[in-house]
DNA sequence: CATTCCATCATTATGTCCCA
DNA sequence: TGGGACATAATGATGGAATG
């Protein structure tokens, strides 16, 4: 299996320095995007008969490669694990919201509204970000829809699709996310990367939060050593903490003050851009939805026209047969 | 120092592919 | 068609860092 892994990894897989430490929001979003692309890719594969013969590319290897292209320097195992954790949290929240909808619990009891300790009491993740949740809904819902469509309708998976749809409804209720404002504080400011990079000069890896150790020095080549169940190897003693001790000493009060105000403005900017993105995304979703309806409508219209044409043709045919018959009987009676 | 959060590891179940 | 090999998903557990 080493071989398979290595072969399918293909190009640039030999030695990668995987980043360690907590996942930033940006990295998480890249991962979610990667999973979405992967799902699409797989569905294409299923649909495309010419692709059938080829060996199935390893999903998480592909995800890793995709993440690397996008500047998220994580291994397939890390991606897999992170995805697992995301799905755990996501499912809890989704289930909670779904039950809430069923009971008609009201919006003030929504996960996004309740306090942290209340979340804890309900065995919910204490600080799931709405961005992440929405992105996950997007991925899971697409998948659910495709599964439902692919199984030809009368399968058990249609129930699955129902569940997914209900989550969309849930989402719809909260698509304006006021509670989101609670979150940026929790995340280190560095994750809010769009902020202008006047001081940053190294564009190489798009995101490398300063609070995280830079690409871990231990290149974990064992990532390709087998299936997840067997793959794990003991972590070699990673030093890993605090790669850069921030300028502890000579900072004057003024410097601190200006730094704080600077970061405050960065945070404010980031929050604003987040909101804008949120809004844009929402509009986009609506557009897609509308477009889908239009397509459905035009399809129905085409069908209608076709059937009308067919009916016309049949009527004409019937008329001419009748006319012919009448003509014949007339001429024969003469 | 206790608690919480998160990444990581381990195990089991299930799905998929291939081959005899 | 049954069985083996492997990939993936799901879940539980653990250890380290951060936090109050």
């Amino acid at each position: 299996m080493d071989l398979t892994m290595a072969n399918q990894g293909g190009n640039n897989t030999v030695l990668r320095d995987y980043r360690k430490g907590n996942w930033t929001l940006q990295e998480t979003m890249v991962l979610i995007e990667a999973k979405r692309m992967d799902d699409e890719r797989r569905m294409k594969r299923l649909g495309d008969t010419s692709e059938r013969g080829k060996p199935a590319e390893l999903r998480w290897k592909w995800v890793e490669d995709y993440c690397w292209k996008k500047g998220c320097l994580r291994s397939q195992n890390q991606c897999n694990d992170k995805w697992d954790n995301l799905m755990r949290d996501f499912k809890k929240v989704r289930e909670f919201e779904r039950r809430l909808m069923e009971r008609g619990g009201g919006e003030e009891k929504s996960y996004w509204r309740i306090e942290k300790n209340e979340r804890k009491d309900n065995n919910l993740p204490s600080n799931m970000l709405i961005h992440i949740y929405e992105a996950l809904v997007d991925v899971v819902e697409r998948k659910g829809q495709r599964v439902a469509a692919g199984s030809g309708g009368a399968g058990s998976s249609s129930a699955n699709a129902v569940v997914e749809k209900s989550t969309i409804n849930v989402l719809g209720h909260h698509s304006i996310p006021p509670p989101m404002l609670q979150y940026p504080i929790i995340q280190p400011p560095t994750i809010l990367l769009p902020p202008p990079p006047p001081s940053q000069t190294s564009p190489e890896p798009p995101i490398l939060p300063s609070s995280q150790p830079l690409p871990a020095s231990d290149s974990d080549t064992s990532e390709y050593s087998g299936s997840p169940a067997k793959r794990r190897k003991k972590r070699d003693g990673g030093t890993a903490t605090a790669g850069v001790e921030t300028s502890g000493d000579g900072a004057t009060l003024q410097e601190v003050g200006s730094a704080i105000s600077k970061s405050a403005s960065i945070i404010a900017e980031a929050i604003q851009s987040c909101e804008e993105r949120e809004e844009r995304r929402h509009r986009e979703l609506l557009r897609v939805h509308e477009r889908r309806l239009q397509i459905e409508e035009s399809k129905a219209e085409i069908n209608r026209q076709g059937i009308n044409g067919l009916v016309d043709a049949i009527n004409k045919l019937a008329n001419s047969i009748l006319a012919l018959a009448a003509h014949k009987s007339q001429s024969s009676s003469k």
Side-chain angles (χ1 to χ4, degrees):
Chain A
M1 58 180 131
D2 271 350
L3 286 177
T4 21
M5 301 290 275
N7 286 341
Q8 288 175 346
N11 34 12
N12 53 8
T13 63
V14 197
L15 276 176
R16 279 179 173 174
D17 284 342
Y18 298 113
R19 207 176 81 73
K20 290 191 171 180
N22 288 4
W23 282 67
T24 64
L25 177 59
Q26 178 73 9
E27 284 178 314
T28 307
M29 297 308 281
V30 169
L31 172 63
I32 294 170
E33 190 191 331
K35 275 292 288 182
R36 196 175 62 207
M37 303 304 284
D38 175 62
D39 285 341
E40 277 173 15
R41 185 181 65 105
R42 297 209 148 206
M43 290 317 291
K44 263 193 209 143
R45 242 176 201 285
L46 278 179
D48 188 352
T49 48
S50 68
E51 294 277 321
R52 285 287 169 84
K54 300 182 185 174
E57 197 179 1
L58 293 181
R59 164 176 284 193
W60 289 105
K61 183 67 204 131
W62 188 91
V63 169
E64 176 190 324
D65 286 342
Y66 186 93
C67 286
W68 269 72
K69 271 184 224 147
K70 300 278 176 173
C72 168
L73 312 180
R74 301 289 185 160
S75 72
Q76 52 181 335
N77 286 343
Q78 287 175 305
C79 293
N80 187 0
D81 287 334
K82 180 62 184 174
W83 182 255
D84 285 346
N85 288 330
L86 281 175
M87 289 311 286
R88 288 185 213 199
D89 289 350
F90 169 73
K91 283 174 184 172
K92 283 182 193 168
V93 175
R94 188 182 63 176
E95 187 60 22
F96 180 79
E97 295 286 288
R98 198 175 59 80
R99 283 210 210 109
L100 198 72
M101 287 288 287
E102 277 171 5
R103 276 182 283 139
E107 210 168 296
E108 69 276 3
K109 280 287 163 196
S110 156
Y111 173 82
W112 310 107
R113 301 260 177 188
I114 60 180
E115 292 295 321
K116 207 170 177 179
N117 54 349
E118 214 171 332
R119 289 175 177 176
K120 218 180 87 184
D121 291 343
N122 285 294
N123 193 30
L124 294 166
S126 60
N127 54 357
M128 176 161 231
L129 294 171
I130 193 151
H131 300 89
I132 292 176
Y133 182 81
E134 285 195 356
L136 286 173
V137 165
D138 195 38
V139 174
V140 173
E141 180 240 353
R142 276 170 191 241
K143 205 173 173 181
Q145 278 180 352
R146 272 195 303 254
V147 168
S151 67
S156 60
S157 54
S158 57
N160 186 12
V162 170
V163 171
E164 307 304 353
K165 274 192 182 144
S166 77
T167 62
I168 291 305
N169 286 340
V170 167
L171 228 204
H173 277 291
H174 312 296
S175 57
I176 335 104
M180 173 192 98
L181 293 176
Q182 302 168 358
Y183 292 113
I185 306 157
I186 297 167
Q187 296 289 339
T190 39
I191 56 159
L192 306 161
L193 16 110
S199 58
Q200 271 186 347
T201 46
S202 66
E204 285 250 331
I207 351 100
L208 281 180
S210 56
S211 63
Q212 308 281 355
L214 284 166
S217 54
D218 73 320
S219 59
D220 197 353
T221 48
S222 75
E223 296 298 342
Y224 310 105
S225 65
S227 72
K230 301 167 194 165
R231 74 199 162 164
R232 310 290 187 181
K233 85 163 188 200
K234 274 285 163 219
R235 292 172 270 185
D236 14 335
T239 62
T241 48
V244 188
E245 176 54 31
T246 48
S247 65
D249 24 23
T252 67
L253 209 62
Q254 229 175 3
E255 278 172 322
V256 173
S258 73
I260 287 173
S261 70
K262 225 189 238 173
S263 17
S265 72
I266 288 174
I267 289 171
E269 250 175 67
I271 289 172
Q272 201 184 344
S273 76
C274 268
E275 280 171 352
E276 278 165 14
R277 273 202 306 255
E278 192 74 32
E279 179 65 26
R280 235 178 299 148
R281 204 178 105 74
H282 186 63
R283 276 201 300 267
E284 227 166 83
L285 272 175
L286 285 178
R287 262 204 305 276
V288 169
H289 195 66
E290 260 171 37
R291 178 128 179 70
R292 201 157 63 187
L293 284 176
Q294 273 175 2
I295 290 172
E296 297 277 332
E297 242 168 62
S298 69
K299 231 161 83 178
E301 179 60 30
I302 288 169
N303 277 348
R304 249 201 313 276
Q305 282 176 1
I307 287 172
N308 284 345
L310 204 59
V311 168
D312 272 356
I314 289 170
N315 280 341
K316 275 181 192 162
L317 193 63
N319 284 341
S320 36
I321 288 171
L322 283 176
L324 190 67
H327 184 70
K328 266 207 169 165
S329 66
Q330 260 185 5
S331 61
S332 66
S333 70
K334 273 183 190 173

